[in-house]
Amino acid sequence: MIMSGMDAEVFDQFIEQLWRYVHERLIPAEKDVIAANAIPEDILDEMREMGLFGLTMPEEYGGAGMNTSQYVETIRVLSYALPAYRSITSINLGMVCTALKKSGTEAQKAEWLPRLAAGEIACFGLTEPGSGSDSAAMQTTAVKDGNGYRLNGSKRYITNAPFAKLGLIMARTSKEPLPKNAHVSAFLVDMEKAGVTVGKPDKKMGQEGSQIADIYLDDVHVDGDALLGGEEGQGFRTAMMSLDNGRLSVAAASAGYARRILDTAMRYAQDRKAFGEPINQFQLIQAMLADSEAEIYAAECMLKDATAKVDAGEPSLLPAASTKLFASEMCNRVANRCVQIHGGAGYLAEYEAERFYRDSRIYTIYEGTSQIMQLVIAKAMLRNFAAGGQA
């Protein structure tokens, strides 16, 4: 099914407005966000008013009804600013909303999508202390209890956990691993329920303002209608479908932030003088700038191609993984060059280059490490080749 999305003219106007908001409001507020390690409530309210929490929600649930191409372009523009601004919205949009739209019952959609579109914050509970990509090792359990379930276990490194009102929690509904990870189910958990505890926010290398924390589930009772889609064994499939959108969001964040990093490097190279002239006149500096521009352009093109395939209803696993792999690694290379262009100043916290370097590092890790992306890509290539003679 082709996803038409928002009217093109209206979308262009929205992007123009967002671009101004990013440059005139969000970037000037970055120092305050970093100092507090949280986005101020007045800015969150402005983001809610702009509809940034409901970009991909259907219009009937209070959202903007964007297709994937429009959503990813919005994330790319938003990600020119501090990564925290994307993080606070992206779990709602790229993962939880996707899971609800594709797998939720009509009652679940009616209850949660309007609340998420209005700006209630969600988190996505897959990773655990002993399992990340290895779902067979998941220890969180959901045991039948009357017409509901009791959840016990813990989740680790969960983005937005300290702020979340809703958690999409993966748990085992079967003790033994089953084919196609059918032992894992997904549950919509009100984060204020008795037995849900959120740990102290973790101290991170970068990405200040975005918070992650552990979630502890101690005999948490949920009704049967909390089971996503009303069917056991669909949780992992739901998570993987959601991760395709999540990975494209990370790729868009990488491309948007890399553009900010390159602009900063260009500005410094223009202003900094050595041997009587701006360092942007030195060919080896120019080489780093040129390589960065070429790689950012490649990532932007990959994003457009991958999201067009999603909107056309074509298989998205391979293009999403490929785009996430390239864009995240690219952003790290651009950040490294930015530090190098700054020289000794790039190692000092008073310059943005140092922060960019720390912020970018996570992009090659979350929503699937680069190594997991390589495995996903290779398996898809081999499967496609075996089926049709080409990768």
Side-chain angles (χ1 to χ4, degrees):
M1 183 179 71
I2 296 175
M3 297 173 61
S4 57
M6 181 186 287
D7 177 80
E9 185 176 346
V10 174
F11 177 71
D12 288 343
Q13 292 171 353
F14 170 79
I15 287 294
E16 183 178 345
Q17 177 191 14
L18 179 62
W19 189 91
R20 290 197 304 270
Y21 183 67
V22 164
H23 287 76
E24 296 172 7
R25 178 67 166 131
L26 296 187
I27 290 177
E30 287 180 349
K31 289 184 179 179
D32 292 336
V33 174
I34 292 169
N37 194 28
I39 301 172
E41 277 299 322
D42 60 337
I43 291 182
L44 284 175
D45 287 341
E46 293 167 4
M47 294 172 70
R48 292 181 177 109
E49 184 67 25
M50 289 183 68
L52 293 177
F53 286 88
L55 301 173
T56 58
M57 315 292 183
E59 291 183 40
E60 60 264 36
Y61 296 112
M66 287 186 182
N67 60 25
T68 302
S69 299
Q70 292 169 339
Y71 160 61
V72 166
E73 175 63 8
T74 300
I75 291 298
R76 189 186 68 83
V77 172
L78 181 64
S79 297
Y80 191 89
L82 195 72
Y85 299 122
R86 181 202 75 98
S87 292
I88 201 71
T89 63
S90 64
I91 306 300
N92 279 36
L93 298 166
M95 301 175 78
V96 178
C97 173
T98 299
L100 274 165
K101 287 192 300 183
K102 291 188 174 182
S103 300
T105 65
E106 290 305 314
Q108 288 168 343
K109 294 175 186 177
E111 178 180 1
W112 286 109
L113 286 179
R115 293 169 62 175
L116 296 175
E120 286 195 14
I121 295 167
C123 63
F124 188 85
L126 177 64
T127 303
E128 297 185 358
S131 71
S133 305
D134 179 15
S135 69
M138 184 179 294
Q139 296 299 308
T140 297
T141 59
V143 177
K144 273 278 194 181
D145 180 32
N147 69 341
Y149 294 84
R150 289 201 176 272
L151 276 60
N152 285 278
S154 63
K155 299 295 178 178
R156 174 155 289 179
Y157 310 138
I158 305 303
T159 301
N160 291 343
F163 314 121
K165 299 296 184 184
L166 169 68
L168 183 60
I169 304 296
M170 307 297 152
R172 301 179 73 103
T173 43
S174 172
K175 291 183 179 179
E176 299 300 322
L178 297 174
K180 298 183 179 180
N181 293 288
H183 56 286
V184 182
S185 299
F187 294 86
L188 296 158
V189 179
D190 186 329
M191 295 294 287
E192 296 181 351
K193 264 195 169 292
V196 178
T197 305
V198 177
K200 184 179 179 181
D202 293 301
K203 294 187 69 175
K204 309 187 305 300
M205 178 188 293
Q207 302 236 348
E208 290 91 347
S210 171
Q211 294 188 15
I212 65 173
D214 291 355
I215 297 174
Y216 303 99
L217 305 160
D218 183 13
D219 217 25
V220 178
H221 182 270
V222 296
D223 293 334
D225 58 11
L227 177 65
L228 185 68
E231 183 180 355
E232 290 186 5
Q234 298 301 309
F236 189 78
R237 181 177 66 86
T238 297
M240 292 304 101
M241 287 193 302
S242 301
L243 282 176
D244 280 352
N245 266 18
R247 287 165 180 166
L248 288 171
S249 175
V250 173
S254 300
Y257 209 42
R259 180 62 66 186
R260 165 80 175 278
I261 296 168
L262 179 56
D263 286 350
T264 301
M266 291 275 288
R267 192 175 303 111
Y268 185 83
Q270 175 181 280
D271 295 341
R272 175 76 166 93
K273 290 183 171 60
F275 306 103
E277 61 180 326
I279 64 172
N280 65 7
Q281 297 303 302
F282 302 152
Q283 289 183 339
L284 293 181
I285 297 292
Q286 292 175 355
M288 288 189 280
L289 296 174
D291 285 348
S292 297
E293 174 61 33
E295 291 192 71
I296 293 170
Y297 177 62
E300 291 169 347
C301 290
M302 291 179 76
L303 278 168
K304 290 179 181 178
D305 180 72
T307 55
K309 285 181 167 60
V310 174
D311 288 335
E314 298 176 19
S316 61
L317 178 68
L318 197 154
S322 299
T323 306
K324 194 272 183 184
L325 172 65
F326 180 82
S328 61
E329 293 285 348
M330 173 277 295
C331 189
N332 274 256
R333 289 192 292 270
V334 173
N336 184 59
R337 293 183 193 119
C338 182
V339 171
Q340 198 71 12
I341 289 168
H342 278 69
Y347 203 68
L348 301 181
E350 66 180 280
Y351 291 87
E352 289 182 324
E354 180 267 348
R355 186 241 296 175
F356 293 154
Y357 188 81
R358 291 184 291 104
D359 284 346
S360 300
R361 189 62 186 85
I362 190 63
Y363 290 139
T364 63
I365 297 173
Y366 64 17
E367 315 300 357
T369 65
S370 292
Q371 289 68 39
I372 289 295
M373 292 301 95
Q374 289 172 320
L375 294 177
V376 168
I377 293 164
K379 287 179 180 178
M381 290 171 60
L382 294 171
R383 187 166 56 246
N384 293 347
F385 189 83
Q390 62 180 9

